[in-house]
Amino acid sequence: MGSDVGQILDISRLRRSCGACGLQQLCLPAAIAGEDLRRLDDIVQSKRPIDRSQALFLPGSPLQALYVVRSGSLKTFVTNEQGETQILGFHLPGEILGLDAISTDRHQCTAEALERTTVCEVPFSRLSQVALQVPELQRQLLRVISREVMRDHEHLVMMGRRHAQERLAIFLKSLSGRYARLKRDPALLTLPMSRYELANYLGLVVETVSRLFTRFQQMGVLEVRRKTIRIVDPRKLEALCAEQHEGAGLAVREA
Amino acid sequence: MGSDVGQILDISRLRRSCGACGLQQLCLPAAIAGEDLRRLDDIVQSKRPIDRSQALFLPGSPLQALYVVRSGSLKTFVTNEQGETQILGFHLPGEILGLDAISTDRHQCTAEALERTTVCEVPFSRLSQVALQVPELQRQLLRVISREVMRDHEHLVMMGRRHAQERLAIFLKSLSGRYARLKRDPALLTLPMSRYELANYLGLVVETVSRLFTRFQQMGVLEVRRKTIRIVDPRKLEALCAEQHEGAGLAVREA
DNA sequence: CGATGGTTTGACATCGGTCAACGCAGGTGG
DNA sequence: CCACCTGCGTTGACCGATGTCAAACCATCG
């Protein structure tokens, strides 16, 4: 871009170094410093931003790197023979992608950007090498992986709920928590995914999700305007996560 | 226990060593040999068998070890404040438990034996140490973890299906595949879990699961006798995994 | 032999899926 | 600048798969 190449490289290097990254504490470098951090930094490559609906990797492609979201967001999903898809996760900054490729050396799912997104690319073979030399890195890698396992478990618990209302409530509460970790306002969600994608993730159809947003708004829980969701009453939302659907909305039976 | 302590220790040591274990290729020692295998062997402890409905670990308990199922089977599940539970997985020999504790150093879920079960206990701190010295072990550890992530993803895909019939079919097919990996007859399943547990895992109620077993039997797909399930027609089962429920089975309406 | 808990079956109600139509916003081209 | 178009989102009417409730069945165990 500029003329003074050396200068610019230094700056861009600095700006994208792990040491200067706001996500440091959530990511691989946590608890790593000094020389070790430089070694990690050396292998982390930045990729040019991925545009909306562009794929980061596809099923079957060889595992070259793990990826950590830096800004923006992605979804991962699998598609079966009939072309039906299941979204496995939405990935926000600080979250890692590509784990399911380690076992077979091939990616199992598709990762696709939901908006313009930047990721840090961590070549897997070199990451393994450095992890052997930096115990804290090995430990932190396992920690980050474990967090992804916990996230899948949350997703499973959500899918186990038999009422659509609980599923959406749980999703929103969880997303709010992830926002908090990122120091964003946990009451003001900007959904990067479409209603279709959200419905698929929740194991519902789009009409149901749409109706639920309307209902939540009528109940005074949310304020919904397209992709912008404001959580008006967190306590009510919390309650909806485990509602035995005593029919708060539909109650025909008398007391 | 016995009188000739040395002798007995040798024998039990040998019998439970990784080198002599039939699961070796599925487990941590895969691709590890010689001196390195001995080092792994040294840290792996055996636990006395766990009886049915006994817990291996509880939520909140500190992470001391990862566990690999040696024989028998377990379930892992979470319980919320209201006492509702969601089963996260059924674990057969060769599968690892405890991953979700790495992030927080505390177990997140309960692991409970479904039958008399033996596990290998791998103290986590020592595993980490040895993994630093044996690159192949670090790699294999990551591989085994990745397999568990893949398994969670399978579970999610199953939960995303909106028809109970598909869910059960997918579960049975998947279980059959796991049997094959263990060199068991993939057509003869012995379910270690109750109908309640299975229903919970599938996100259904027990009556639905029961009816489905009956239906599958009537369709000539399965032969069901209590916990013993014989897959009579694997191709039909395969087809049911993606059935658009064209009503093949229920058709009560007259022609 | 009866008690107990898991399993199956039946009758019924309902939540959420299906189908259809409309509304809304953003983008494109005249 | 406006008009159209397209895709996403919302709303309504309807129906069926699955949950709920209840009872019977069955195997195991003391």
Side-chain angles (χ1 to χ4, degrees):
Chain A
M1 298 163 174
S3 49
D4 190 342
V5 175
Q7 178 70 2
I8 285 174
L9 281 186
D10 280 346
I11 288 172
S12 68
R13 182 86 215 158
L14 181 68
R15 288 188 57 228
R16 67 183 187 229
S17 78
C18 292
C21 180
L23 298 168
Q24 199 183 356
Q25 288 316 308
L26 303 174
C27 186
L28 289 174
I32 299 176
E35 172 63 12
D36 289 336
L37 183 56
R38 216 187 43 67
R39 286 160 85 177
L40 174 60
D41 231 6
D42 280 346
I43 69 168
V44 173
Q45 299 168 12
S46 72
K47 291 181 70 95
R48 68 157 180 277
I50 310 165
D51 277 324
R52 179 182 147 77
S53 82
Q54 224 190 325
L56 176 60
F57 54 75
L58 296 168
S61 56
L63 167 66
Q64 276 150 359
L66 299 181
Y67 302 92
V68 180
V69 185
R70 180 132 199 191
S71 68
S73 54
L74 305 96
K75 62 174 173 180
T76 47
F77 62 94
V78 290
T79 306
N80 69 8
E81 312 75 50
Q82 288 81 34
E84 298 155 316
T85 76
Q86 175 63 48
I87 294 181
L88 299 171
F90 300 116
H91 306 269
L92 300 188
E95 295 169 12
I96 197 167
L97 290 96
L99 296 181
D100 60 1
I102 295 176
S103 173
T104 61
D105 288 318
R106 304 244 159 214
H107 287 287
Q108 305 291 311
C109 59
T110 309
E112 191 184 302
L114 294 170
E115 57 194 313
R116 179 158 254 247
T117 294
T118 56
V119 298
C120 295
E121 182 177 357
V122 193
F124 182 65
S125 59
R126 305 186 62 189
L127 175 62
S128 304
Q129 286 166 18
V130 178
L132 289 169
Q133 292 152 10
V134 183
E136 259 314 318
L137 178 59
Q138 177 184 275
R139 185 66 218 267
Q140 183 61 15
L141 174 59
L142 289 172
R143 249 191 256 272
V144 171
I145 291 174
S146 175
R147 258 203 326 251
E148 294 308 306
V149 172
M150 286 172 64
R151 204 178 308 289
D152 284 341
H153 287 180
E154 269 185 51
H155 191 183
L156 279 170
V157 167
M158 190 275 296
M159 291 291 254
R161 314 269 35 179
R162 283 191 229 85
H163 291 283
Q165 184 168 284
E166 298 171 49
R167 292 198 197 173
L168 182 58
I170 290 171
F171 169 77
L172 292 172
K173 187 179 133 198
S174 160
L175 189 62
S176 172
R178 284 155 84 185
Y179 268 50
R181 268 184 31 139
L182 294 171
K183 312 287 184 216
R184 296 194 206 168
D185 182 352
L188 191 64
L189 310 179
T190 313
L191 306 184
M193 75 291 290
S194 73
R195 295 285 192 267
Y196 281 89
E197 289 164 328
L198 179 52
N200 181 287
Y201 177 83
L202 298 173
L204 303 169
V205 293
V206 64
E207 293 93 330
T208 303
V209 171
S210 183
R211 279 186 251 268
L212 284 172
F213 273 125
T214 307
R215 191 194 297 177
F216 282 4
Q217 191 160 19
Q218 285 165 352
M219 294 166 79
V221 179
L222 302 179
E223 212 174 273
V224 183
R225 211 176 64 229
R226 292 178 77 41
K227 311 221 150 182
T228 307
I229 312 287
R230 211 168 63 76
I231 300 176
V232 178
D233 191 336
R235 307 212 28 185
K236 275 190 197 164
L237 182 63
E238 172 76 33
L240 286 171
C241 291
E243 202 65 19
Q244 349 294 9
H245 77 100
E246 356 141 324
L250 290 189
V252 185
R253 58 186 55 171
E254 266 317 316
Chain B
M1 299 162 178
S3 50
D4 189 344
V5 175
Q7 179 70 3
I8 284 175
L9 280 186
D10 280 345
I11 289 172
S12 67
R13 182 87 217 156
L14 181 67
R15 289 187 57 231
R16 69 183 185 229
S17 79
C18 292
C21 178
L23 297 169
Q24 198 182 359
Q25 289 317 308
L26 303 174
C27 188
L28 289 174
I32 299 176
E35 172 63 12
D36 288 336
L37 183 56
R38 214 185 45 65
R39 284 160 88 177
L40 174 59
D41 231 6
D42 279 345
I43 69 168
V44 173
Q45 298 169 14
S46 71
K47 288 181 72 95
R48 69 158 179 275
I50 310 166
D51 277 324
R52 178 181 149 79
S53 81
Q54 224 189 326
L56 175 60
F57 54 75
L58 296 168
S61 56
L63 167 65
Q64 277 149 1
L66 299 181
Y67 303 91
V68 179
V69 185
R70 178 134 199 188
S71 69
S73 55
L74 304 97
K75 63 174 172 178
T76 46
F77 62 95
V78 289
T79 305
N80 68 8
E81 312 73 51
Q82 289 80 35
E84 298 155 316
T85 76
Q86 175 62 48
I87 295 181
L88 299 171
F90 300 116
H91 305 269
L92 301 187
E95 295 169 10
I96 197 168
L97 290 96
L99 296 183
D100 61 1
I102 295 176
S103 172
T104 60
D105 289 318
R106 304 246 158 211
H107 287 287
Q108 303 294 309
C109 60
T110 308
E112 191 184 302
L114 294 169
E115 57 194 313
R116 180 158 255 244
T117 295
T118 56
V119 298
C120 295
E121 182 177 357
V122 193
F124 182 65
S125 59
R126 305 186 62 189
L127 176 62
S128 304
Q129 286 166 18
V130 179
L132 289 170
Q133 294 152 9
V134 184
E136 258 315 318
L137 178 59
Q138 177 185 274
R139 185 65 217 269
Q140 183 61 16
L141 174 60
L142 289 172
R143 251 191 255 273
V144 171
I145 291 174
S146 175
R147 257 199 332 248
E148 294 307 307
V149 172
M150 286 171 63
R151 204 178 306 291
D152 284 341
H153 286 180
E154 269 185 51
H155 192 183
L156 280 170
V157 167
M158 190 275 296
M159 291 290 253
R161 315 267 39 176
R162 283 189 227 85
H163 291 282
Q165 186 169 282
E166 300 171 48
R167 292 197 197 173
L168 182 59
I170 291 171
F171 169 77
L172 292 172
K173 188 180 132 197
S174 161
L175 189 62
S176 174
R178 284 155 83 184
Y179 269 49
R181 267 183 31 137
L182 293 172
K183 313 286 184 216
R184 296 195 206 167
D185 182 351
L188 190 64
L189 310 179
T190 313
L191 304 185
M193 75 291 290
S194 74
R195 296 285 192 266
Y196 280 89
E197 290 163 327
L198 179 51
N200 181 287
Y201 177 83
L202 298 173
L204 303 169
V205 294
V206 65
E207 293 93 330
T208 303
V209 171
S210 182
R211 279 186 252 267
L212 283 172
F213 273 125
T214 307
R215 191 194 299 178
F216 282 4
Q217 192 159 18
Q218 285 165 353
M219 294 166 78
V221 179
L222 302 179
E223 213 173 273
V224 182
R225 210 175 67 230
R226 292 179 81 36
K227 312 223 152 184
T228 306
I229 313 287
R230 212 167 63 75
I231 300 176
V232 178
D233 191 336
R235 308 209 30 182
K236 274 189 197 164
L237 183 63
E238 172 75 34
L240 286 171
C241 291
E243 201 64 21
Q244 349 294 9
H245 77 101
E246 352 144 327
L250 278 195
V252 184
R253 55 190 57 173
E254 268 316 318

